[in-house]
Amino acid sequence: MTKCGQLPRRTANCPAAEFGVADVVSQRPFWQRKTLAEMTVSEWESLCDGCGRCCLHRLEDEDTGEVYTTRVACKLLDSHSCRCSDYPNRKQKVPDCIQLTPEDAASFAWLPATCAYRLLAQGGRLPEWHPLVSGDPESVHKAGISVRDQVISEEQVQVEDYEDHIVVWIGDD
């Protein structure tokens, strides 16, 4: 008896027996078949789970280099939907907004450990609560991963007070 990965012979217990290897591979979701660099813009954008954590201000300890996340959000983050309120124009309104690209995947360590971009860049898998896996855009909120209604706008806090708003989110490193 051959094992599934050994070709050309096909066996009844091998998924490729019915479809062929190429067909089995093409049935897998795009994030399991493609590298980040191979994804279309639409596929890339759909990886965002809508948690809103990437829009939170972070503080770096000058002595240790340790990075802390605050509950202070970019002024464009809608705190309920956890989406940017002006995504197409965000770079004009917030010049230091970071545009995530596949080319930057090696530097994604600052993103939350739960972030699909970071997980896939590190060879991981999407969690069950990710909307692409669950089919439910609310699943990220139901799982308690998002910042929904738990953040404050940067417009309400002085920069020198950000330290008072350091938090640890579910799933953070």
Coordinates of all heavy atoms in Angstrom, one line a residue, residues 116-156:
A116 N -3.5 37.8 11.7 CA -3.3 36.9 10.6 C -2.1 37.2 9.7 O -1.4 36.2 9.3 CB -4.6 36.9 9.7
Y117 N -1.7 38.4 9.5 CA -0.6 38.8 8.8 C 0.7 38.2 9.5 O 1.6 37.6 8.8 CB -0.4 40.3 8.6 CG -1.6 40.9 7.8 CD1 -2.5 41.7 8.5 CD2 -1.7 40.7 6.5 CE1 -3.6 42.3 7.7 CE2 -2.7 41.3 5.7 CZ -3.7 42.1 6.4 OH -4.7 42.6 5.7
R118 N 0.8 38.4 10.7 CA 1.9 37.9 11.5 C 1.9 36.4 11.6 O 3.0 35.8 11.3 CB 1.9 38.5 12.9 CG 3.0 38.1 13.8 CD 3.0 38.7 15.1 NE 4.0 38.1 16.0 CZ 4.1 38.5 17.3 NH1 3.4 39.4 17.8 NH2 5.0 37.9 18.0
L119 N 0.8 35.8 11.8 CA 0.7 34.4 11.9 C 1.1 33.7 10.6 O 2.0 32.8 10.6 CB -0.7 33.9 12.3 CG -1.2 34.2 13.7 CD1 -2.7 33.9 13.8 CD2 -0.5 33.3 14.7
L120 N 0.6 34.2 9.5 CA 1.0 33.6 8.2 C 2.4 33.9 7.8 O 3.1 33.0 7.3 CB 0.0 34.0 7.1 CG -1.4 33.6 7.3 CD1 -2.3 34.1 6.2 CD2 -1.5 32.1 7.4
A121 N 2.9 35.0 8.2 CA 4.3 35.4 7.9 C 5.3 34.5 8.6 O 6.4 34.2 8.2 CB 4.6 36.8 8.2
Q122 N 4.8 34.0 9.8 CA 5.6 33.1 10.6 C 5.4 31.6 10.4 O 5.8 30.8 11.1 CB 5.4 33.4 12.1 CG 5.9 34.8 12.5 CD 5.6 35.2 13.9 OE1 4.7 34.6 14.6 NE2 6.2 36.2 14.4
G123 N 4.5 31.3 9.4 CA 4.3 30.0 9.0 C 3.1 29.3 9.8 O 2.9 28.1 9.8
G124 N 2.4 30.2 10.5 CA 1.3 29.7 11.4 C 0.0 29.5 10.6 O 0.0 29.7 9.3
R125 N -1.1 29.2 11.3 CA -2.4 29.0 10.7 C -3.4 30.1 11.3 O -3.2 30.6 12.4 CB -2.9 27.6 11.1 CG -2.0 26.5 10.6 CD -2.6 25.2 11.1 NE -3.9 25.1 10.5 CZ -4.6 24.0 10.3 NH1 -4.0 22.9 10.7 NH2 -5.8 23.9 9.8
L126 N -4.4 30.3 10.6 CA -5.5 31.2 11.0 C -6.3 30.5 12.1 O -6.6 29.3 12.0 CB -6.4 31.6 9.9 CG -5.8 32.4 8.8 CD1 -6.9 32.8 7.8 CD2 -5.1 33.6 9.3
P127 N -6.6 31.2 13.2 CA -7.3 30.6 14.3 C -8.8 30.4 13.9 O -9.3 31.0 13.0 CB -7.2 31.7 15.4 CG -6.8 32.9 14.8 CD -6.1 32.6 13.5
E128 N -9.5 29.6 14.6 CA -10.9 29.2 14.3 C -11.8 30.4 14.4 O -12.8 30.4 13.7 CB -11.4 28.1 15.3 CG -10.7 26.8 15.1 CD -10.8 26.2 13.8 OE1 -11.9 26.2 13.2 OE2 -9.8 25.7 13.2
W129 N -11.5 31.4 15.2 CA -12.4 32.6 15.3 C -12.1 33.6 14.1 O -12.9 34.6 14.0 CB -12.2 33.3 16.6 CG -10.8 33.6 17.0 CD1 -10.0 32.9 17.8 CD2 -9.9 34.6 16.5 NE1 -8.7 33.4 17.9 CE2 -8.7 34.5 17.1 CE3 -10.2 35.7 15.6 CZ2 -7.6 35.4 16.8 CZ3 -9.1 36.6 15.3 CH2 -7.9 36.4 15.9
H130 N -11.1 33.4 13.3 CA -10.8 34.3 12.2 C -12.0 34.3 11.3 O -12.5 33.2 10.9 CB -9.6 34.0 11.5 CG -9.1 35.1 10.6 ND1 -9.7 35.3 9.4 CD2 -8.1 36.0 10.7 CE1 -9.1 36.4 8.8 NE2 -8.2 36.8 9.6
P131 N -12.5 35.5 10.8 CA -13.7 35.5 10.0 C -13.6 34.7 8.7 O -14.5 34.2 8.2 CB -13.9 37.0 9.7 CG -13.3 37.7 10.9 CD -12.2 36.8 11.3
L132 N -12.4 34.6 8.1 CA -12.2 33.7 6.9 C -12.4 32.3 7.2 O -12.8 31.5 6.4 CB -10.8 33.9 6.3 CG -10.5 35.3 5.6 CD1 -9.1 35.4 5.2 CD2 -11.5 35.4 4.4
V133 N -12.1 31.9 8.4 CA -12.3 30.5 8.8 C -13.7 30.2 9.3 O -14.4 29.2 8.9 CB -11.3 30.1 9.9 CG1 -11.5 28.6 10.4 CG2 -9.8 30.2 9.5
S134 N -14.2 31.1 10.2 CA -15.5 30.9 10.8 C -16.7 31.3 9.8 O -17.8 30.8 9.9 CB -15.7 31.8 12.0 OG -15.7 33.2 11.7
G135 N -16.4 32.2 8.8 CA -17.4 32.6 7.9 C -18.3 33.7 8.6 O -19.3 34.2 8.0
D136 N -17.9 34.2 9.8 CA -18.7 35.1 10.5 C -17.9 36.3 10.9 O -16.9 36.2 11.7 CB -19.2 34.5 11.8 CG -20.0 35.4 12.7 OD1 -20.3 36.6 12.3 OD2 -20.4 35.0 13.8
P137 N -18.1 37.5 10.3 CA -17.3 38.7 10.6 C -17.4 39.1 12.1 O -16.6 39.8 12.6 CB -17.9 39.8 9.7 CG -19.2 39.3 9.2 CD -19.2 37.8 9.4
E138 N -18.4 38.6 12.8 CA -18.5 38.9 14.3 C -17.7 38.0 15.1 O -17.5 38.2 16.3 CB -20.0 38.9 14.7 CG -20.8 40.0 14.1 CD -20.4 41.4 14.7 OE1 -20.3 41.5 15.9 OE2 -20.2 42.3 13.9
S139 N -17.1 36.9 14.6 CA -16.4 35.9 15.4 C -15.2 36.5 16.1 O -14.9 36.1 17.2 CB -16.0 34.7 14.5 OG -15.2 35.1 13.5
V140 N -14.5 37.4 15.5 CA -13.4 38.1 16.2 C -13.8 38.8 17.4 O -13.1 38.8 18.5 CB -12.6 39.0 15.2 CG1 -13.4 40.2 14.8 CG2 -11.3 39.4 15.9
H141 N -15.0 39.4 17.4 CA -15.5 40.1 18.6 C -16.1 39.1 19.6 O -15.8 39.3 20.8 CB -16.6 41.1 18.1 CG -16.2 42.0 17.0 ND1 -15.2 42.9 17.1 CD2 -16.7 42.1 15.8 CE1 -15.1 43.5 16.0 NE2 -16.0 43.1 15.1
K142 N -16.8 38.1 19.1 CA -17.3 37.1 20.0 C -16.2 36.3 20.8 O -16.4 35.9 21.9 CB -18.2 36.1 19.3 CG -19.4 36.6 18.7 CD -20.2 35.6 17.8 CE -21.4 36.2 17.2 NZ -22.0 35.3 16.2
A143 N -15.1 36.2 20.2 CA -13.9 35.5 20.8 C -13.2 36.4 21.8 O -12.3 35.9 22.5 CB -13.0 35.0 19.7
G144 N -13.5 37.7 21.8 CA -12.9 38.6 22.7 C -11.5 39.1 22.3 O -10.7 39.6 23.0
I145 N -11.2 38.9 21.0 CA -9.9 39.3 20.4 C -9.9 40.8 20.1 O -8.9 41.4 20.1 CB -9.6 38.4 19.2 CG1 -9.6 36.9 19.6 CG2 -8.3 38.8 18.5 CD1 -8.6 36.6 20.6
S146 N -11.0 41.3 19.7 CA -11.1 42.7 19.2 C -11.0 43.7 20.3 O -11.3 43.3 21.5 CB -12.3 42.9 18.3 OG -13.4 43.1 19.1
V147 N -10.8 44.9 20.0 CA -10.8 46.0 20.9 C -12.2 46.7 21.0 O -12.3 47.8 21.6 CB -9.7 47.0 20.6 CG1 -8.3 46.3 20.7 CG2 -9.9 47.7 19.3
R148 N -13.2 46.1 20.5 CA -14.5 46.7 20.4 C -14.9 47.3 21.7 O -15.0 46.7 22.7 CB -15.5 45.6 20.0 CG -17.0 46.2 20.0 CD -18.0 45.2 19.5 NE -18.1 45.3 18.0 CZ -18.8 44.5 17.3 NH1 -19.5 43.5 17.8 NH2 -18.8 44.7 16.0
D149 N -15.2 48.6 21.6 CA -15.7 49.4 22.7 C -14.8 49.4 24.0 O -15.3 49.7 25.1 CB -17.1 49.0 23.1 CG -18.1 49.1 21.9 OD1 -17.9 50.0 21.1 OD2 -19.0 48.3 21.8
Q150 N -13.5 49.2 23.8 CA -12.6 49.1 24.9 C -11.5 50.1 24.8 O -10.5 50.0 25.6 CB -12.0 47.7 25.0 CG -13.0 46.6 25.3 CD -12.4 45.3 25.3 OE1 -11.7 45.0 26.3 NE2 -12.6 44.5 24.3
V151 N -11.5 51.0 23.8 CA -10.4 51.9 23.5 C -10.9 53.3 23.6 O -12.1 53.6 23.6 CB -9.8 51.6 22.2 CG1 -9.2 50.2 22.1 CG2 -10.8 51.8 21.0
I152 N -9.9 54.2 23.7 CA -10.2 55.6 23.6 C -9.4 56.3 22.5 O -8.3 55.8 22.2 CB -9.9 56.3 25.0 CG1 -8.5 56.1 25.4 CG2 -10.9 55.9 26.1 CD1 -8.1 56.8 26.7
S153 N -9.9 57.3 21.9 CA -9.3 58.0 20.8 C -8.1 58.8 21.3 O -8.1 59.4 22.4 CB -10.3 58.9 20.1 OG -9.6 59.7 19.2
E154 N -7.1 58.8 20.5 CA -5.9 59.6 20.8 C -6.3 61.1 21.0 O -5.5 61.9 21.6 CB -4.9 59.5 19.7 CG -5.3 60.0 18.3 CD -4.4 59.7 17.2 OE1 -3.3 59.1 17.4 OE2 -4.7 60.0 16.0
E155 N -7.4 61.5 20.4 CA -7.8 62.9 20.6 C -8.3 63.2 22.0 O -8.5 64.4 22.4 CB -9.0 63.2 19.6 CG -8.5 63.1 18.1 CD -9.6 63.3 17.1 OE1 -10.7 62.8 17.3 OE2 -9.3 64.1 16.2
Q156 N -8.5 62.2 22.8 CA -9.0 62.4 24.2 C -7.9 62.2 25.2 O -8.1 62.4 26.4 CB -10.1 61.3 24.5 CG -11.3 61.5 23.6 CD -12.3 60.4 23.8 OE1 -11.9 59.2 23.9 NE2 -13.6 60.8 24.0

